Amino acid sequence: MRARKGRLLTDQSIETVAQAKGLYVARVTWVHHWTAELFSFRVERPQSFRFQSGEFVMIGLVGPDGRPVMRAYSLASPAWEEHLEFFSVKVADGALTSRLQHLEVGDSILLGRKPTGTLMVDALEPGERLIMVGTGTGLAPFLSVLRDPDTHERFAHIVVSHTVRHQQELAYRAFLEEEIRTDEIFGELLRDRFTYYPTVTRGEFHRKGRITDRIREGLFRDDLGLAIEARATSRFMICGSIAFNKEMVDILSGWGLTEGTRSHPGQYVVERAFVS
Ligand code: A2P
């Protein structure tokens, strides 16, 4: 029986709900709290669970009424990894995250069977560089795409831009700044080909402001040492709030770039960062 403060139902009941709804049950193997509002966790990957890097899937818990409470979450781990990783906000009165934030190793979650999404490298035309631009937990799918060998076959340069309000919210900063460079698999591959571009909109940081403003003002291009012509050879992935996505699409479509799909690849793809 796991019923800490009545938050989680019994293991047996999650199994019953999963069976009835055609969902997986996945056991939590790691939890990391970045701040009071942000955390990440990993679950064991069911053997038959397949996805493409950049996709999202429904995950959830059994609600007090015995029904599943499910939300869409981007997979933050690449498709080849043995575990599945998720990056989440904690919302005090959020139907799911108010409970999800109390997960501990050994707990179980419900996991959907049909990952899907638009942030696919194969929805992008070939190009010189892949620029992934996200806010908040919109970073998650980029952590997956960044570590997929397919991405490196297609693009010579990769940029991950992450904008948050306060610098403590730059989750995965140490990983993106340092650890990935010494990573057994990707260290060598990424050394001179990867740029991490964090920006902070409130409080102290060495690079301040919304990424949308930095792009419009030419600061982003200057920082990366790119000529204006680099627009034509760049491909973009966008993931953040609705307002952010809209602003980015306005900028990119203003440059004459078009949105891609798997059947009609283009120069950018967009996905909303779901749980907020
Ligand atoms: P700001 O502090 O200026 O609102 P949120 O936590 O609200 O989702 O925001 C995450 C980050 O995204 C914040 O740094 C925020 O900047 C920024 N942001 C929010 N809306 C937009 C937008 N429309 N365009 C660019 N950046 C945005």
Side-chain angles (χ1 to χ4, degrees), residues 49-236:
F49 184 85
R50 298 271 178 277
F51 70 103
Q52 227 181 297
S53 297
E55 285 188 319
F56 65 85
V57 66
M58 302 302 286
I59 65 170
L61 294 170
V62 179
D65 61 357
R67 290 188 206 188
V69 181
M70 308 290 287
R71 294 287 181 272
Y73 270 78
S74 288
L75 288 135
S77 43
W80 52 265
E81 193 114 66
E82 274 177 31
H83 60 254
L84 306 176
E85 185 164 328
F86 301 97
F87 175 32
S88 181
V89 287
K90 310 176 197 175
V91 183
D93 58 358
L96 181 60
T97 68
S98 61
R99 297 171 58 230
L100 206 61
Q101 63 183 282
H102 300 294
L103 280 180
E104 289 176 8
V105 170
D107 288 337
S108 293
I109 64 160
L110 295 164
L111 174 72
R113 286 185 178 265
K114 291 187 186 142
T116 183
T118 58
L119 300 178
M120 307 283 100
V121 286
D122 55 11
L124 294 170
E125 289 173 356
E128 176 71 16
R129 72 191 61 73
L130 174 63
I131 301 180
M132 297 184 263
V133 190
T135 59
T137 54
L139 175 71
F142 304 157
L143 297 165
S144 175
V145 172
L146 175 65
R147 287 176 285 169
D148 194 303
D150 201 21
T151 309
H152 302 279
E153 270 172 35
R154 287 168 190 257
F155 298 99
H157 296 278
I158 296 163
V159 180
V160 169
S161 163
H162 189 204
T163 298
V164 295
R165 295 181 188 194
H166 304 284
Q167 64 167 300
Q168 313 83 267
E169 293 155 9
L170 288 173
Y172 295 94
R173 183 179 173 192
F175 171 72
L176 293 166
E177 238 164 33
E178 317 270 348
E179 290 155 29
I180 196 158
R181 291 175 198 284
T182 53
D183 182 89
E184 226 176 285
I185 305 167
F186 289 100
E188 196 62 38
L189 202 59
L190 283 175
R191 196 148 299 141
D192 304 314
R193 302 171 56 207
F194 171 59
T195 307
Y196 169 55
Y197 193 88
T199 90
V200 166
T201 52
R202 306 180 197 190
E204 281 316 303
F205 196 60
H206 65 272
R207 190 183 295 121
K208 297 193 57 157
R210 289 182 165 196
I211 187 65
T212 41
D213 293 335
R214 294 188 70 91
I215 292 174
R216 279 195 212 93
E217 290 158 16
L219 298 171
F220 178 68
R221 202 179 62 223
D222 289 350
D223 288 344
L224 295 182
L226 296 174
I228 199 155
E229 294 76 23
R231 287 175 181 178
T233 53
S234 299
R235 304 293 172 252
F236 295 83

